[in-house]
Amino acid sequence: MKTKHLLLLLSILFISSCKMNIKQEGRARSLEGNKSTKESVGITGHKVIKDGDIIFQTSLSAQSKAIQLATKSKYSHCGIIYKSNDKYYVFEAVQPVKSVPLEKWIARGKDRHYIIKRLKEADKIFTPQILHKMKQIGESFKGKSYDLTFEWSDEKMYCSELIWKIYQRASGVEIGKLERLRDFDLTNDIVRSKLNQRYGKNIPLDEIVISPKAIFESELLETVMGN
């Protein structure tokens, strides 16, 4: 009789233990599920992002390596983030100048890595009027061809030039130091090959240039997020 009671007691304890483990596993899955949901939302659901933020990545384009070597920078492409209808977009100079969904933009970069930076005094400078003006200026560039020869004109646009001109013309803020083509390291074979491909023997060494690195390293910006 005592043996039966003992077995019954052990059975009850075993079943209770199993139920407890199942609940704990369920709770763990729930927490993990919530974590995955947050991660799957990605930065598009992150409240940190604001209109006018600048996002950087390492492009996988044919000229990316040459830009990295010449400027001695990890990052070779950048764009401005805007929000429209509860979705984030990157306004960028590719072929042609256009807006692309933020998720798609990130997916194009190497290892999906990105860094987002913001003007340190953005809350003071980026009034609704200034942001509206930035978008208007951007619209005037929309559809323009990508500038393969990096000329300092408005006929064509490259990525960092687009950002610099929008910021400067809308708010008066100059993000990054303007340089000359000769200021970069043009000695690497990959760089020289790309220059010869674009210019032949007439390389415009005195052409004004603004690089992604110059904007990335601007003291006027601060990093707000990245991966």
Side-chain angles (χ1 to χ4, degrees):
M1 193 71 176
K2 290 183 179 180
T3 302
K4 288 183 179 181
H5 286 162
L6 181 61
L7 289 174
L8 179 60
L9 178 61
L10 288 174
S11 297
I12 292 172
L13 290 174
F14 177 75
I15 292 172
S16 298
S17 176
C18 287
K19 287 183 177 179
M20 186 176 296
N21 286 337
I22 290 172
K23 287 182 179 179
Q24 288 175 341
E25 288 177 5
R27 188 178 297 111
R29 288 195 195 99
S30 177
L31 291 173
E32 185 64 30
N34 289 336
K35 179 181 177 182
S36 298
T37 300
K38 290 179 181 178
E39 290 175 349
S40 67
V41 169
I43 67 174
T44 58
H46 207 295
K47 295 181 180 179
V48 170
I49 301 175
K50 294 183 179 181
D51 275 0
D53 285 353
I54 302 174
I55 186 168
F56 300 83
Q57 68 178 191
T58 304
S59 171
L60 297 176
S61 68
Q63 69 176 8
S64 178
K65 190 62 178 179
I67 293 174
Q68 289 176 270
L69 291 168
T71 63
K72 299 186 183 303
S73 172
K74 176 180 181 178
Y75 302 102
S76 58
H77 189 49
C78 46
I80 301 178
I81 299 176
Y82 294 118
K83 188 176 183 180
S84 178
N85 297 323
D86 294 325
K87 293 184 179 181
Y88 290 101
Y89 296 85
V90 179
F91 189 63
E92 61 173 348
V94 283
Q95 181 52 36
V97 174
K98 61 182 179 181
S99 290
V100 62
L102 180 55
E103 303 95 323
K104 185 176 180 180
W105 194 91
I106 291 173
R108 287 201 328 243
K110 183 178 180 182
D111 299 326
R112 297 179 62 91
H113 171 63
Y114 64 87
I115 294 291
I116 296 177
K117 293 202 170 193
R118 178 179 302 148
L119 196 63
K120 290 179 180 178
E121 297 188 352
D123 290 338
K124 295 180 180 179
I125 296 174
F126 286 165
T127 63
Q129 293 77 16
I130 292 296
L131 285 170
H132 178 69
K133 190 174 181 180
M134 288 174 66
K135 293 176 182 179
Q136 279 188 319
I137 293 170
E139 281 296 313
S140 71
F141 295 136
K142 196 170 183 178
K144 289 185 179 291
S145 295
Y146 183 79
D147 190 355
L148 290 169
T149 53
F150 306 110
E151 297 176 21
W152 195 249
S153 74
D154 290 354
E155 295 303 311
K156 298 178 181 180
M157 284 284 146
Y158 57 90
C159 66
S160 42
E161 176 189 16
L162 180 71
I163 293 172
W164 197 94
K165 288 182 175 178
I166 288 177
Y167 263 66
Q168 195 278 330
R169 294 177 186 181
S171 67
V173 177
E174 298 183 355
I175 300 294
K177 179 184 176 183
L178 296 178
E179 299 174 274
R180 303 282 178 176
L181 190 57
R182 67 169 67 253
D183 295 327
F184 301 111
D185 184 355
L186 310 179
T187 60
N188 187 278
D189 289 342
I190 294 176
V191 178
R192 294 182 68 84
S193 174
K194 190 61 67 175
L195 290 173
N196 289 330
Q197 178 185 332
R198 301 279 171 85
Y199 306 108
K201 294 182 180 180
N202 301 314
I203 301 175
L205 297 175
D206 288 322
E207 186 71 39
I208 295 174
V209 180
I210 181 70
S211 67
K213 178 186 179 182
I215 294 180
F216 186 86
E217 295 184 347
S218 172
E219 295 182 352
L220 300 179
L221 301 178
E222 59 184 351
T223 301
V224 292
M225 64 186 304
N227 65 351

